[in-house]
Amino acid sequence: MPAVNVLASDMDGTFIPLEGNQENRRDLEQLTDELQRHEVELVYVTGRHYELVLDAIQAYSLPNPRWLICDVGTSIYESPVASDHQLLQAYVTQLKDLVGEFDVAKLADLFSGIDALRLQEPQKQGQFKLSYYCDADLLDEISKRLSQLLDQGDAPYRIIASVDPFTGDGLVDCLPRGVSKAHALSWWVKHAGHDCERVVFAGDSGNDLAALTAGYRSIVVGNADRSVAEQASRAHQMAGWTDRLFIAAKPATSGVLQGLRHFIQQ
């Protein structure tokens, strides 16, 4: 396989060290060294809004990459000097073309009758992303109901549902139809002139699954929900891909380091 030159990684539960995990803290330094030594470009692919990405970079002393894919794939930021990132207008234009006049305010009106939904904090919303909390036990039922409302309202959006591995809350993200972390990563790979065969993606949760099964070499960290690992494994097997999925034994940062070393040595 061609040499790895991009690590695209989720942040929470993946690249960011877990609370109190000293091995993760130590491995963050080694992971940063591996990226530099092998000239692997880092890009975060996260559900966090831009300001929350910067908060995490500062709080955990993370590398500050040139590119940030934020808001579950609904925003991309660039900085030539890995600071003072700017929203990439070419991607904004693409998403505007997808949704037309149907903005998130109209979505909120559409969902206003669902009492079980709790709007997430303002900093977790975006121009093309509307996010809610709900009881995890009701997640499937609510997701189906919201999808029905989208169909009835002819809204060019779709639902991505997952469970917060830290709080156990159900998470509901409403994104433009076809848009996800995988969509944004694919768009960025072409925009930045990379070869998808040289990209490794690392993740841990349901909203990473599309990217984990998009054909990139992929890392599922050890703390991921087992259903994510199982679904990723099945998808790779059904596609006939070999040696493109690494199920790490170690959690979060340490699992990313394990996986990156595995793929670098291929």
Side-chain angles (χ1 to χ4, degrees):
M1 282 192 178
V4 175
N5 70 354
V6 173
L7 173 64
S9 180
D10 174 50
M11 297 185 78
D12 295 279
T14 305
F15 200 94
I16 294 175
L18 298 178
E19 191 69 33
N21 190 312
Q22 294 305 311
E23 183 179 27
N24 276 185
R25 294 297 312 175
R26 291 193 300 271
D27 284 345
L28 177 60
E29 293 184 20
Q30 293 190 43
L31 179 54
T32 303
D33 288 344
E34 290 280 358
L35 292 169
Q36 293 174 347
R37 186 156 58 93
H38 293 281
E39 297 183 338
V40 175
E41 181 169 15
L42 174 66
V43 54
Y44 295 130
V45 186
T46 176
R48 286 182 177 237
H49 190 55
Y50 174 64
E51 286 76 12
L52 294 178
V53 173
L54 298 187
D55 288 348
I57 288 171
Q58 182 174 16
Y60 298 99
S61 300
L62 305 178
N64 189 354
R66 173 182 174 184
W67 296 95
L68 307 171
I69 297 175
C70 305
D71 299 305
V72 200
T74 57
S75 63
I76 300 177
Y77 291 82
E78 178 191 14
S79 171
V81 292
S83 63
D84 190 26
H85 297 81
Q86 301 296 315
L87 190 63
L88 196 61
Q89 289 302 319
Y91 192 62
V92 172
T93 298
Q94 198 228 13
L95 296 190
K96 281 183 177 178
D97 289 343
L98 287 177
V99 302
E101 298 298 317
F102 210 116
D103 60 18
V104 292
K106 290 182 180 178
L107 279 180
D109 287 342
L110 196 62
F111 298 155
S112 59
I114 310 294
D115 294 334
L117 291 175
R118 307 188 307 278
L119 200 62
Q120 292 186 22
E121 297 84 353
Q123 66 269 30
K124 295 183 180 178
Q125 310 299 338
Q127 183 178 356
F128 302 101
K129 171 176 169 281
L130 184 63
S131 296
Y132 294 92
Y133 297 116
C134 71
D135 188 317
D137 293 336
L138 300 176
L139 189 59
D140 288 343
E141 177 186 336
I142 289 175
S143 297
K144 289 176 185 174
R145 177 62 180 140
L146 296 180
S147 294
Q148 290 171 351
L149 288 172
L150 291 176
D151 289 341
Q152 292 166 10
D154 198 25
Y157 291 82
R158 69 188 181 106
I159 300 299
I160 294 183
S162 59
V163 176
D164 189 317
F166 302 104
T167 66
D169 285 328
L171 304 176
V172 177
D173 292 316
C174 191
L175 311 178
R177 190 179 297 139
V179 174
S180 63
K181 288 182 177 182
H183 172 89
L185 180 57
S186 175
W187 188 94
W188 173 80
V189 167
K190 294 180 183 134
H191 177 81
H194 287 293
D195 177 355
C196 62
E197 291 293 320
R198 302 182 69 181
V199 176
V200 171
F201 177 80
D204 76 305
S205 67
N207 66 20
D208 296 316
L209 193 56
L212 289 167
T213 59
Y216 306 108
R217 284 180 276 185
S218 299
I219 303 164
V220 177
V221 291
N223 53 298
D225 189 292
R226 286 304 87 191
S227 68
V228 172
E230 289 164 5
Q231 289 178 73
S233 294
R234 281 199 301 271
H236 278 246
Q237 288 169 5
M238 290 177 65
W241 299 325
T242 57
D243 298 324
R244 290 198 191 186
L245 181 64
F246 183 84
I247 309 294
K250 293 185 177 182
T253 323
S254 302
V256 177
L257 177 61
Q258 275 188 313
L260 182 63
R261 284 175 168 167
H262 170 79
F263 288 125
I264 284 174
Q265 292 166 6
Q266 279 187 331

